[in-house]
Amino acid sequence: MGIRTYVVTGAASGIGAATADHLEKGGDRVIRCDVRDADVTADLTTPAGRERLASEVAAASDGLIGGLIAVAGSAVPSPLTARLNFFGTIATLESLRPLLAGSHLPRAVAVSSLSAIVAADDTIVDACLSMDEEAAVAAVTTAVEAGRGRIVYPSTKLALNRWLRRAAVSPAWAEAGIPLNAVAPGVVDTETARTMFLDDPAARALVSSMMPQPLGFPGPVSAIVSLLAWTVSPDNAFMTGQILYADGGAEATLRP
């Protein structure tokens, strides 16, 4: 099959870094993208940063990539979360799609979240899906000012899921032979999760009650990494438009 070239966003830390390491250990080439400490540095919350990502990845890859893993995201209750999780992720997928289309056995995957099935704000979701970034930012601002900042992250991920399900079967993706899927982790043991709630016993108990994981809480990062790697491998020949819940059984518990 030969060496494949992969692009990983959010590759400076957490799941993104672990995924990039995994692919490189397998002998493939990885173009790491992040706001710092990466082969391509770009801020995906801005139009200029999204354009920079596209142009620099095109140059670094000589115009062809075999797989794209869009991990970059934020859980901060801020308008920047909508700009990154939804609009930045879609810009990444769409702008790099031509580089995938010209390659052999191209694949793409985005990172979603189990939290998208737990709670969401319809106003944020609808604004995202209308592709109106400023309306989405306004809806996020309203939610945050009302003390509902925790709803922002799952709302952006739900919008991403819905966009992806529609896009994956469109001519631009399916007819071009590019499987497009998402992996939705539950709570896994990342530095961000530890900082945000795992190290706080009360917050940890609250989250574990909202998102019960029969196989263990938190889950291992390696489980997410291996699934992401498989979805962009040539072995994934016939699956597209799917949201794969890697969550220790939480989705099945919440939606039996």
Side-chain angles (χ1 to χ4, degrees), residues 82 85-87 90 120-137 139-140 154-167:
N85 292 5
F86 185 79
F87 295 97
I90 289 175
D121 181 293
D122 289 341
T123 303
I124 296 173
V125 173
D126 291 345
C128 287
L129 291 174
S130 69
M131 302 309 294
D132 188 335
E133 188 164 353
E134 296 314 310
V137 165
V140 168
S155 299
T156 61
K157 293 299 189 178
L158 178 59
L160 175 62
N161 289 353
R162 291 180 177 174
W163 176 89
L164 186 143
R165 293 270 292 171
R166 300 168 188 176

Side-chain angles (χ1 to χ4, degrees), residues 112-120 158 161-162 165 184 210-212 214 242-247 249-256:
S112 182
S113 171
L114 169 71
S115 66
I117 73 167
V118 176
L158 178 59
N161 289 353
R162 291 180 177 174
R165 293 270 292 171
M210 294 176 62
M211 295 186 287
Q242 299 305 301
I243 313 300
L244 305 176
Y245 292 95
D247 59 8
E251 190 267 344
T253 301
L254 295 170
R255 301 197 298 192

